[in-house]
Amino acid sequence: MKKFSYLNLLSGIIIIFFLTATAYGLSDVYKDNIYFPKNLKPTDSVLKVKVGDRAPDFTLPSVAGEKIFLSWYLGKKNVVISFVPAAWTPVCSDQWPGYGIVKDIFDENDAILLGISVDNIPTLFAWTNQMGKLWFPILSDFWPHGKVADSYGVLRSDGVAERAIIIIDKKGSIRYVDVHDINKRPRLESIVGELENLNK
């Protein structure tokens, strides 16, 4: 029964996720404001971390005006880091709003999401304001430029981050790494599955 309910819930989430993403793609808010890059090399960096490694610590400023320390979450929360390449681009503009409907799943798995981009704070402020109220911190890795992305090995040679998902458990160990094709959005169900695995 529990498995059946979980599958139903997951199916519903996936359907809503894709509908939401489509809605954002067609939104007047974004109309004429999205830069469409050419198809890019899928990945362009060399990872410096792997599953089982201690996650490199960092401190970054957030759009909300705080400084966020990764070490805050040690012993308290599992952490999902979502690196995205650039503001005002189509895949990134769909990806983060889609996480809005799965906050409950993060809560159930005692997890926090941190969104990181190498864009500066004013750019991230203007961009994410168009997404409505995001429930997770948006962090700027602008200066020193891409330092955190580089510490994880997800900084591309053109200075933007890869599209990557890193999951860190409460002990500070990396449990999942997905350096995704930069042209495609990571699969939500993969993140949900990995969060469920943390509790097994």
Side-chain angles (χ1 to χ4, degrees):
M1 181 67 182
K2 184 177 180 181
K3 183 176 180 181
F4 176 77
S5 298
Y6 170 76
L7 290 174
N8 276 350
L9 174 63
L10 186 58
S11 298
I13 288 168
I14 293 168
I15 291 169
I16 294 169
F17 178 74
F18 281 105
L19 289 175
T20 302
T22 302
Y24 269 97
L26 298 174
S27 170
D28 285 342
V29 170
Y30 285 111
K31 188 178 180 182
D32 299 328
N33 289 318
I34 293 294
Y35 174 76
F36 287 87
K38 295 178 181 177
N39 207 43
L40 301 172
K41 182 180 178 182
T43 61
D44 181 50
S45 61
V46 178
L47 262 177
K48 296 180 180 177
V49 297
K50 63 182 184 301
V51 171
D53 284 354
R54 186 85 176 167
D57 196 15
F58 60 79
T59 304
L60 285 175
S62 75
V63 167
E66 305 171 293
K67 282 193 174 181
I68 301 294
F69 299 79
L70 179 63
S71 58
W72 279 354
Y73 303 107
L74 268 176
K76 301 173 185 172
K77 290 280 186 183
N78 300 305
V79 177
V80 178
I81 299 175
S82 170
F83 287 101
V84 298
W88 301 107
T89 54
V91 180
C92 299
S93 297
D94 279 348
Q95 185 177 340
W96 281 354
Y99 295 135
I101 59 171
V102 292
K103 182 179 184 301
D104 287 349
I105 293 178
F106 277 75
D107 290 343
E108 288 166 9
N109 290 283
D110 223 6
I112 182 73
L113 174 64
L114 301 177
I116 300 179
S117 165
V118 299
D119 294 288
N120 63 19
I121 290 288
T123 299
L124 287 173
F125 177 83
W127 180 50
T128 58
N129 259 356
Q130 308 308 314
M131 299 176 184
K133 187 172 178 59
L134 298 177
W135 61 270
F136 52 91
I138 303 300
L139 310 181
S140 171
D141 190 17
F142 178 69
W143 197 258
H145 189 80
K147 181 180 178 182
V148 173
D150 186 48
S151 72
Y152 282 78
V154 295
L155 185 67
R156 294 170 68 99
S157 58
D158 60 359
V160 302
E162 299 282 9
R163 190 177 311 286
I165 300 292
I166 311 284
I167 299 181
I168 303 164
D169 66 19
K170 294 178 184 178
K171 296 178 180 177
S173 296
I174 294 175
R175 298 286 296 271
Y176 176 76
V177 178
D178 174 18
V179 180
H180 214 73
D181 182 339
I182 197 170
N183 305 291
K184 300 176 181 177
R185 190 175 54 213
R187 295 169 65 86
L188 182 62
E189 58 267 45
S190 298
I191 298 171
V192 172
E194 292 300 326
L195 286 176
E196 296 284 342
N197 286 336
L198 293 179
N199 297 320
K200 291 180 180 176

